[in-house]
Structure formats: C-alpha cells, structure tokens
Amino acid sequence: MPRLRPPNSGILAGVVGGALALLAFFALVNVMVSKNRSTTELNRYDTVTVDGRPALKPKIVAGRILSLYHPLPWVGTELYAPSCPTGLKAVPGTTMTCTGTRHNGRTVEIPVTVVDATDTHITWKFER
C-alpha cells in the first residue's frame, strides 16, 4: 500500500528550503561586504602628528568606522556619532579605543588597531 503524504507537503518543503537558501545567501553577502579594514593615505589634509609620528585625524577614523560599521542597507545603521580620542598613529601594532552610540542609547567601545604603515599609507582595522 502506498504511503500517503499530506497534499501540501511538497509546497511547504519548497517554501522552507527557499527561505533557508535566501537566508544563507544574505549571510554570505553580509560576510563579504562587511569589511572592517581600511587603507588610508597619509596626506596633508587627513594627517596630524602624535608623539612625533604621522597619524590619521580622529574624525577621519571615526567617519570610516561609521561608514563601514553596518554597510548593508537592509541591516540599518547600528552606530551613531562615533568619536576617537586622538589621531591614529601610523605605527604597526598601535591601538586605541573609539566610542559610538547605538540606536538604543548605549555606548559601544570600538577597538582600533594599526595593521601596517608606510610613509604614505596606513592600514588599520576595527572590531565590531
């Protein structure tokens, strides 16, 4: 005797499978697009001096953090008004902590680390 299946089980399986595939796709895009590393030119407009060394201006670091913190429009921006205490010194291994505010009013700390630096560029990253 053949096994009976509910009449809409195939449709339900298709909908669930499609939803899971779509979710996996958006997760993959999120990982690919959510870049938290930046290489920035050290030029006369964006550079200050910290401890005798060239450094990115605090507002340049804060602005880049804001633009990269949640770059996906369907996720929304979760960070407002980031600020950094000082310029980011162009020395590999240099760290500092910037702060921002979430939509619920809570303060969030954002660790920033210099990955690489030359006479003309600085590569740095921040943690989410």
Side-chain angles (χ1 to χ4, degrees):
M1 177 172 232
R3 188 173 175 185
L4 297 175
R5 291 179 16 194
N8 293 329
S9 65
I11 294 172
L12 180 61
V15 168
V16 170
L20 289 174
L22 192 58
L23 182 63
F25 171 75
F26 280 115
L28 178 63
V29 169
N30 189 25
V31 168
M32 290 172 53
V33 173
S34 297
K35 180 180 161 186
N36 65 343
R37 184 179 281 224
S38 179
T39 297
T40 310
E41 183 180 5
L42 295 170
N43 60 42
R44 65 184 177 138
Y45 305 108
D46 302 332
T47 306
V48 294
T49 301
V50 174
D51 297 331
R53 302 291 302 235
L56 278 182
K57 288 182 178 178
K59 68 180 182 178
I60 300 297
V61 177
R64 188 63 55 89
I65 288 171
L66 180 62
S67 72
L68 295 175
Y69 201 81
H70 268 293
L72 304 176
W74 58 86
V75 173
T77 301
E78 291 272 337
L79 185 71
Y80 301 96
S83 64
C84 300
T86 185
L88 183 59
K89 194 167 29 171
V91 175
T94 298
T95 61
M96 74 176 179
T97 301
C98 298
T99 58
T101 305
R102 291 198 180 272
H103 69 287
N104 60 7
R106 289 188 178 161
T107 299
V108 61
E109 293 185 344
I110 306 153
V112 178
T113 305
V114 175
V115 177
D116 191 25
T118 67
D119 292 338
T120 59
H121 290 82
I122 180 173
T123 300
W124 54 280
K125 66 179 183 173
F126 65 91
E127 302 300 324
R128 291 174 209 224

